[in-house]
Amino acid sequence: MAAARPTAPAAPAPAGPTDSTQETTGELLDLALGYVYSAALHTAARFGVADRLLDGPRGADELAADVGADGPYLYRLLRFLATKGVFREDEEHLFHLTPLARPLCAGVERSLRDYIMVRGEAVFWNSAGHLHDAVRTGTTAFESLYGLPFYDHVAADPELGRAFNSSMAAFSETLSNDVVDALDLSSARTAVDVGGGRGGLLRAVLRRHPHLTGTLFDLESVVSGHLLDEPGTAGRWTVEAGDFFTSVPAGADVYLVKHVLASWPDERCVRILRTCRAAMPAHGRLLAVNAMIPAGNEPHPGKTIDMLMMTVLNGRGRTRAEYEALLTEAGFRVERVLEPSPHASVMEAVLAE
């Protein structure tokens, strides 16, 4: 009689999803739908919802009647944003202003409403939607779509130009005081803000240092909307229009170059820096302010800005070593690096011997 064959063990039942796999799936899906959060944030800013909550919580129907929106749709929008801490819904279905929602208000300190409004415009959406083309070709998505560089497009569209300049001023305002707090300008008497937009950083410098005078330098279409005219800075500032690829005002003790270099490719950055070098006296200092990409896998504003550059501008985010290499090529020596904010590291440089 033949020996019985051993019975093979039963195959294990297919494992169901674990909590960890479900969480991972949910996180990935949330990332895939990130653009919906952006659209919701832009919509809330566009309707000015946050401003209507400064005096206290309100219901969606009341808000909708005030801002000219559909009540049920606005409720769904605010409920969705509340999942990220932008607004808070209570048990009575009233919506409250939260710390995260407060910068959506137009008139508050460090308001980002203008910045968020502009980043919801079609030129940014369309360019981001063609990121795959940028990665495939190594060219900026915006230029492929619109046939000209972003800044040329902005210059040709006055309405967009005003909105964009206002948005950058809002972004600058949130960081200017942090940057100024980190700087030692006690020995300086004059400063030039190169590519300084509407002058938010220079205004913060002049407020903090009454002994200083300053010059705001940027394109005519930009500096015409400057923010410098206030009692505390009267008589201590001038505005000059020009092209920083050609020349900048000469002879100042300090040259500020804030969030300019990330917008341009390496060779154009070196050209800007050499223009500044040619204008500087021997004792002059250059303060280059940028978000610098750190090593590792952690989130960082510099990495986000790098994606924005790939879609809209022909610039790039850079590491500390990459920024230092640009300064060295342009004839500078970096003396120290300050870290007042992840959005705004400061490289202090002097003329190389």
Side-chain angles (χ1 to χ4, degrees):
M1 183 174 179
R5 295 181 179 178
T7 304
T18 65
D19 289 344
S20 61
T21 59
Q22 287 179 335
E23 182 179 342
T24 300
T25 300
E27 184 177 353
L28 186 61
L29 290 173
D30 206 40
L31 287 171
L33 294 173
Y35 66 93
V36 181
Y37 291 108
S38 298
L41 199 61
H42 171 256
T43 300
R46 190 180 186 92
F47 280 109
V49 173
D51 296 272
R52 270 74 175 186
L53 296 177
L54 281 169
D55 294 330
R58 299 173 69 181
D61 287 339
E62 182 185 0
L63 286 168
D66 198 5
V67 303
D70 179 84
Y73 269 60
L74 183 62
Y75 171 77
R76 291 160 65 186
L77 177 87
L78 298 179
R79 179 180 62 185
F80 175 64
L81 286 171
T83 68
K84 293 294 187 181
V86 183
F87 309 115
R88 179 178 65 83
E89 182 184 9
D90 64 22
E91 295 80 3
E92 297 178 355
H93 303 296
L94 301 179
F95 287 94
H96 298 244
L97 197 66
T98 62
L100 195 56
R102 187 174 178 81
L104 286 175
C105 298
V108 301
E109 184 180 359
R110 299 195 175 206
S111 170
L112 285 171
R113 182 172 182 250
D114 286 350
Y115 186 88
I116 291 168
M117 286 276 289
V118 169
R119 293 316 178 278
E121 294 295 329
V123 290
F124 290 95
W125 281 100
N126 293 342
S127 298
H130 286 76
L131 177 60
H132 62 287
D133 285 333
V135 173
R136 178 174 54 83
T137 64
T139 58
T140 305
F142 183 91
E143 293 187 24
S144 299
L145 282 171
Y146 290 89
L148 74 170
F150 176 77
Y151 285 125
D152 291 350
H153 180 85
V154 168
D157 185 338
E159 183 176 351
L160 176 62
R162 284 190 294 270
F164 177 73
N165 293 334
S166 179
S167 79
M168 294 309 297
F171 177 64
S172 178
E173 184 73 16
T174 66
L175 300 174
S176 293
N177 289 335
D178 294 337
V179 172
V180 173
D181 285 344
L183 303 179
D184 180 6
L185 300 178
S186 57
S187 63
R189 292 296 177 269
T190 56
V192 175
D193 193 357
V194 177
R198 295 171 63 186
L201 177 59
L202 182 58
R203 182 177 62 177
V205 167
L206 296 176
R207 285 172 174 173
R208 187 65 53 84
H209 300 284
H211 67 283
L212 271 174
T213 60
T215 299
L216 175 64
F217 183 81
D218 211 317
L219 298 173
E220 173 63 37
S221 60
V222 178
V223 298
S224 61
H226 71 81
L227 306 170
L228 298 173
D229 193 7
E230 59 179 39
T233 63
R236 295 192 292 121
W237 55 267
T238 58
V239 172
E240 187 171 332
D243 179 358
F244 52 40
F245 291 114
T246 304
S247 66
V248 301
D253 299 321
V254 173
Y255 285 77
L256 304 162
V257 185
K258 176 173 170 287
H259 292 147
V260 171
L261 301 180
S263 299
W264 301 97
D266 288 357
E267 64 276 9
R268 302 282 271 179
C269 289
V270 171
R271 187 171 171 182
I272 294 167
L273 293 170
R274 284 177 175 165
T275 302
C276 293
R277 190 185 192 285
M280 290 171 60
H283 68 273
R285 287 184 290 158
L286 183 132
L287 303 175
V289 183
N290 303 280
M292 291 191 292
I293 297 176
N297 300 313
E298 296 303 312
H300 190 272
K303 298 175 183 179
T304 306
I305 292 297
D306 193 38
M307 290 296 97
L308 183 63
M309 295 302 106
M310 288 171 63
T311 59
V312 179
L313 293 168
N314 196 22
R316 53 177 296 209
R318 296 178 176 88
T319 64
R320 172 175 174 169
E322 288 169 333
Y323 275 120
E324 189 161 358
L326 293 177
L327 286 157
T328 299
E329 185 177 348
F332 289 93
R333 183 180 76 255
V334 176
E335 289 204 322
R336 62 174 178 161
V337 177
L338 308 171
E339 300 281 356
S341 164
H343 292 273
S345 300
V346 184
M347 301 193 88
E348 184 174 342
V350 296
L351 303 184
E353 297 179 357

